[in-house]
């Protein structure tokens, strides 16, 4: 069940309708995140900086790590009822300029 894990930041949950919620993804969401990401890479490869081939080779732990709490990376998911239907990643650039 996707909502079993409590979000660390409850103020980062947005109700955008009767059946859709947007929240920061948690490491517990890694499996469903991986499936959706790989599907997106297959169906819309130009929308991504990496390729399906590269991402499909990554171990499951790499997707867990991507969703761990970080001061520079955030991954949000849009859930329609309990189904992940969209993802957006925000990455803070750490360069000085």
């Amino acid at each position: 069940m996707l909502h079993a894990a409590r979000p660390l930041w409850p103020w980062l949950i947005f109700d955008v309708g009767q059946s859709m919620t947007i929240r920061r993804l948690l490491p517990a969401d890694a499996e469903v995140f991986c499936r959706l990401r790989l599907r997106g890479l297959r169906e819309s490869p130009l929308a991504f900086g990496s390729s399906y081939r590269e991402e499909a080779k990554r171990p499951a732990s790499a997707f867990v790590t991507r969703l761990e709490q970080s001061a520079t990376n955030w991954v949000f998911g849009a859930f329609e009822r309990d189904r992940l239907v969209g993802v957006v990643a925000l990455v803070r650039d750490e360069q000085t300029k």
Side-chain angles (χ1 to χ4, degrees):
M1 179 169 195
L2 295 176
H3 293 290
R6 272 189 37 231
L8 299 175
W9 309 273
W11 49 271
L12 286 178
I13 298 175
F14 305 96
D15 183 7
V16 292
Q18 291 182 350
S19 64
M20 185 170 282
T21 302
I22 297 172
R23 67 169 172 82
R24 190 166 182 181
L25 295 181
L26 304 170
D29 299 311
E31 183 180 337
V32 68
F33 167 67
C34 175
R35 281 196 310 263
L36 186 63
R37 181 166 173 81
L38 291 176
R39 179 179 172 191
L41 284 161
R42 250 191 336 264
E43 294 177 5
S44 302
L46 297 178
F48 296 85
S50 60
S51 71
Y52 176 84
R53 184 177 293 172
E54 291 170 324
E55 293 286 315
K57 290 179 186 177
R58 294 185 192 277
S61 61
F63 292 93
V64 171
T65 300
R66 188 176 289 178
L67 300 179
E68 289 175 348
Q69 183 177 356
S70 167
T72 58
N73 299 302
W74 304 269
V75 181
F76 290 90
F79 291 86
E80 192 167 45
R81 294 183 174 75
D82 284 336
R83 189 172 145 241
L84 184 63
V85 295
V87 173
V88 64
L90 307 172
V91 180
R92 180 185 301 160
D93 191 355
E94 296 186 51
Q95 297 177 356
T96 55
K97 183 173 179 178

